[in-house]
Amino acid sequence: AQKVTQAQTEISVVEKEDVTLDCVYETRDTTYYLFWYKQPPSGELVFLIRRNSFDEQNEISGRYSWNFQKSTSSFNFTITASQVVDSAVYFCALSYGTSYGKLTFGQGTILTVHP
Amino acid sequence: SAVISQKPSRDICQRGTSLTIQCQVDSQVTMMFWYRQQPGQSLTLIATANQGSEATYESGFVIDKFPISRPNLTFSTLTVSNMSPEDSSIYLCSVMTGLTDTQYFGPGTRLTVL
């Protein structure tokens, strides 16, 4: 069975601090996708990144970076120089099923960035 | 990415009634899914909406409670039947434009059952 664990329930930082959100996953599939989504207070789910199981290259997009390590089954997300607008709930998710469309979500991490 | 809309955006319903939620996409998509997010919780997949055939439900969800239709490649409905306060949640549809493409989510329908 698939499982995603986001051990950090809530994180509070001051603006301009760097913050890392942890994600650990379990799956028996050899091919799968990992995702990060952001859910701001307005409620919509905003796609941030998708990574397939064969691509362990780290990725950077502006202030966001992701570290994928299959050896530790982790897919961590770092925000550099955080801003108040980064305050949201962040979800890590793992695909399952032959279509890779079914997602198992972690419990989410509430990030609050204080000015 | 596809543009996804949901109707209604929110509703307050009485116990025992049913509500149908619509999901409309601006382009044809391969896969459509329905998720539930209970208050303060994560998202849980309810079912895969199959075009022209019965939906595929995940464990813990049944067709009598959550009937789903998908008459074409751009539209789906989810009905929450015989509602109870425990059904108060955000219901989200999601789509994939291709079998290995990214999954995008609609804005959600916030349902409160009194």
Side-chain angles (χ1 to χ4, degrees):
Chain A
Q2 293 74 20
K3 185 178 180 181
V4 176
T5 302
Q6 295 180 253
Q8 304 149 308
T9 304
E10 292 191 52
I11 300 176
S12 181
V13 300
V14 176
E15 216 171 12
K16 298 184 182 177
E17 284 186 26
D18 298 347
V19 57
T20 295
L21 310 181
D22 297 334
C23 173
V24 175
Y25 64 93
E26 298 175 28
T27 181
R28 294 180 180 174
D29 294 339
T30 55
T31 303
Y32 51 88
Y33 289 88
L34 292 161
F35 300 78
W36 276 95
Y37 288 90
K38 173 183 179 180
Q39 188 174 45
S42 54
E44 78 272 23
L45 216 59
V46 179
F47 166 77
L48 295 178
I49 190 171
R50 183 186 74 157
R51 173 66 77 221
N52 77 51
S53 52
F54 297 110
D55 183 1
E56 287 193 69
Q57 277 195 337
N58 292 332
E59 181 157 340
I60 298 174
S61 176
R63 297 185 295 108
Y64 296 169
S65 62
W66 291 269
N67 181 267
F68 176 29
Q69 293 194 342
K70 281 181 82 170
S71 60
T72 56
S73 297
S74 65
F75 187 43
N76 297 336
F77 172 33
T78 297
I79 302 174
T80 303
S82 60
Q83 300 177 0
V84 173
V85 293
D86 295 327
S87 297
V89 182
Y90 290 85
F91 291 99
C92 180
L94 168 69
S95 69
Y96 67 99
T98 54
S99 70
Y100 310 115
K102 300 182 181 182
L103 300 184
T104 295
F105 281 80
Q107 286 304 302
T109 297
I110 302 171
L111 173 65
T112 303
V113 181
H114 299 280
Chain B
S1 64
V3 176
I4 308 166
S5 60
Q6 285 185 233
K7 290 181 182 179
S9 58
R10 60 176 63 227
D11 207 342
I12 301 173
C13 300
Q14 296 298 318
R15 181 197 299 261
T17 62
S18 298
L19 176 72
T20 295
I21 302 167
Q22 298 179 3
C23 177
Q24 179 73 55
V25 192
D26 68 341
S27 59
Q28 294 186 348
V29 294
T30 305
M31 309 287 290
M32 294 184 78
F33 306 90
W34 286 98
Y35 286 81
R36 180 177 73 181
Q37 186 177 22
Q38 294 176 300
Q41 303 296 313
S42 185
L43 285 82
T44 301
L45 178 64
I46 298 172
T48 303
N50 300 310
Q51 193 246 331
S53 64
E54 194 171 283
T56 306
Y57 290 85
E58 297 301 299
S59 176
F61 297 96
V62 295
I63 188 172
D64 290 345
K65 177 66 176 176
F66 297 102
I68 289 170
S69 77
R70 190 182 171 192
N72 56 51
L73 293 176
T74 64
F75 185 78
S76 178
T77 65
L78 166 74
T79 300
V80 186
S81 303
N82 188 25
M83 289 184 285
S84 67
E86 291 70 36
D87 294 318
S88 297
S89 298
I90 299 174
Y91 292 87
L92 302 101
C93 73
S94 70
V95 305
M96 290 171 64
T97 54
L99 287 179
T100 58
D101 287 344
T102 294
Q103 189 167 142
Y104 295 97
F105 285 80
T109 295
R110 191 178 297 267
L111 171 62
T112 302
V113 184
L114 302 177

